[in-house]
Amino acid sequence: MATMKMSDTGVNIGVDVGKHFLDFHIHERDLHWQEQNSPEGIRSALNRIGRYRVNRLVVEATGRYELPLVDAAFEKNLPVVIAQPLQVRRFAGAINQLAKTDKIDAAVISEFGAKVQPLVSHSVGKNIRYIRDLIARRRQLIEMLVKEKNRQKIMGDQMAASHRRMLKVFENEIAWVEGRLDKAIEKESAWSHRKSLLLTVPGVGNTLAYTLLADLPELGTLSNKQVAALVGLAPINRDSGKLKGKRRIFGGRGAIRTTMYMAMLSAIQCNPVLKATYESLVAKGKHKKVALVACMRKMITILNAMVRDNCEWAY
């Protein structure tokens, strides 16, 4: 019998990402090792991983600490999976793995890759990541602006000058970010055209358009049911036996849903289609929040169809 080389059998590798260290585990070899989360450590790890035929390199999303490893792995054309922590923790619970250390977490992540076989992620490119960072920063600045305006209302005239200065700072920073966003989006020709389509819809402003471009690249490629489910706007059944539970939205991409909710407060005032839908549902006795969510679902399906058919708002 011929001796099997390391590269003959595909392996699933899990990575537990920390600020200072990366813990690796190869599921099929039951092999663990640790590297520093630094350029040198990442280079060493990828050289070692290069000895295997990799089915999946599963990296848990940790809020940016994973990005240097992910970028380097993409450059080597490795099949990277960026897994959501909630999915991994649910898998750990399903296999009754209650203990939690960096080494154990890496093993659980590798087993998650081998048994669940999640879809391989795609490299979005540095410019698109820059766009996403700018969108996140814009959202942060707007939140701070709103909080400062709320404080201004209760602090009295003696603090008015201070509030005005801070509001000016936030407004200038938001303008700076938006300027960079426009320039970055211009480099993505498909994004620039898609943005112009989205902005033809009454109630869709720059905030929602930017969010959809960055966080919902699948827009226009899915069915209406699929895109609603992806955003978390598809009602989930809660029935068991004779019990007929309330349908509730659940999961999906929360940042998109939050942005859409805020946009919908404006859209039901200025968009004739969504305004009519909202008023009809409320007249039928639906709770106002339920009616808003229904309008959000209607909006995302309209936007999905517009991008799919490459057409502007024509209602």
Side-chain angles (χ1 to χ4, degrees):
M1 181 181 294
T3 302
M4 184 177 291
K5 297 180 181 179
M6 284 186 179
S7 59
D8 291 338
T9 305
V11 298
N12 292 273
I13 304 175
V15 188
D16 182 70
V17 179
K19 182 177 181 180
H20 301 293
F21 295 101
L22 301 168
D23 284 82
F24 295 83
H25 189 273
I26 302 178
H27 178 69
E28 289 74 9
R29 303 289 190 272
D30 192 23
L31 175 64
H32 168 268
W33 81 95
Q34 187 181 78
E35 302 279 1
Q36 287 190 341
N37 192 356
S38 66
E40 296 76 15
I42 291 170
R43 191 180 308 115
S44 172
L46 293 181
N47 287 339
R48 184 169 183 173
I49 289 170
R51 299 163 59 194
Y52 300 88
R53 181 169 66 82
V54 181
N55 290 338
R56 288 173 186 81
L57 177 66
V58 187
V59 182
E60 201 173 34
T62 58
R64 304 192 68 84
Y65 289 132
E66 78 280 3
L67 293 183
L69 172 64
V70 168
D71 287 342
F74 275 132
E75 288 179 4
K76 289 185 173 292
N77 296 316
L78 288 171
V80 179
V81 175
I82 303 175
Q84 294 302 313
L86 181 59
Q87 289 180 302
V88 177
R89 293 321 307 162
R90 284 177 172 171
F91 175 78
I95 62 174
N96 201 32
Q97 179 54 262
L98 303 181
K100 194 177 187 309
T101 65
D102 294 341
K103 181 177 180 179
I104 290 173
D105 286 350
V108 169
I109 294 169
S110 68
E111 188 173 356
F112 170 80
K115 294 185 177 178
V116 178
Q117 298 183 2
L119 294 176
V120 173
S121 304
H122 298 285
S123 176
V124 297
K126 291 184 178 180
N127 188 53
I128 292 179
R129 180 173 295 158
Y130 178 54
I131 291 172
R132 289 179 173 175
D133 289 345
L134 286 169
I135 291 170
R137 184 56 181 161
R138 184 181 185 276
R139 187 182 301 122
Q140 294 166 359
L141 289 167
I142 289 174
E143 288 176 358
M144 289 188 281
L145 178 70
V146 171
K147 289 180 180 178
E148 189 66 15
K149 284 182 176 179
N150 291 335
R151 285 190 286 264
Q152 184 183 34
K153 295 176 182 178
I154 62 174
M155 291 300 293
D157 294 339
Q158 290 182 331
M159 295 293 107
S162 175
H163 288 298
R164 284 195 297 270
R165 288 193 296 270
M166 291 305 300
L167 290 173
K168 189 65 175 179
V169 169
F170 292 137
E171 289 166 358
N172 288 340
E173 285 299 306
I174 291 170
W176 181 89
V177 169
E178 289 180 343
R180 297 303 185 279
L181 262 174
D182 288 336
K183 290 180 180 178
I185 287 176
E186 285 176 3
K187 296 179 182 179
E188 306 290 333
S189 57
W191 281 40
S192 183
H193 176 65
R194 188 174 296 183
K195 177 190 171 187
S196 66
L197 290 180
L198 297 175
L199 291 177
T200 64
V201 180
V204 175
N206 284 334
T207 302
L208 180 56
Y210 290 143
T211 301
L212 292 174
L213 288 170
D215 296 335
L216 194 61
E218 301 90 346
L219 192 67
T221 66
L222 304 175
S223 69
N224 288 343
K225 288 185 178 180
Q226 287 174 326
V227 76
L230 194 59
V231 179
L233 293 172
I236 305 298
N237 293 347
R238 296 290 181 180
D239 300 338
S240 179
K242 294 182 179 181
L243 175 64
K244 302 297 181 183
K246 290 184 178 180
R247 273 56 175 163
R248 299 180 184 275
I249 59 172
F250 181 77
R253 299 179 184 174
I256 301 174
R257 196 165 54 250
T258 299
T259 305
M260 286 196 69
Y261 184 85
M262 299 306 296
M264 190 53 58
L265 297 176
S266 171
I268 59 173
Q269 304 295 327
C270 64
N271 187 304
V273 173
L274 298 174
K275 181 178 181 180
T277 301
Y278 177 78
E279 291 176 348
S280 174
L281 290 171
V282 172
K284 291 178 181 178
K286 296 292 184 181
H287 191 281
K288 290 183 178 180
K289 190 171 183 178
V290 173
L292 280 171
V293 171
C295 289
M296 290 161 59
R297 187 162 57 250
K298 188 178 185 72
M299 174 185 270
I300 199 64
T301 58
I302 290 173
L303 296 175
N304 187 58
M306 287 172 55
V307 174
R308 182 195 63 213
D309 299 336
N310 193 30
C311 63
E312 296 184 356
W313 173 265
Y315 289 88

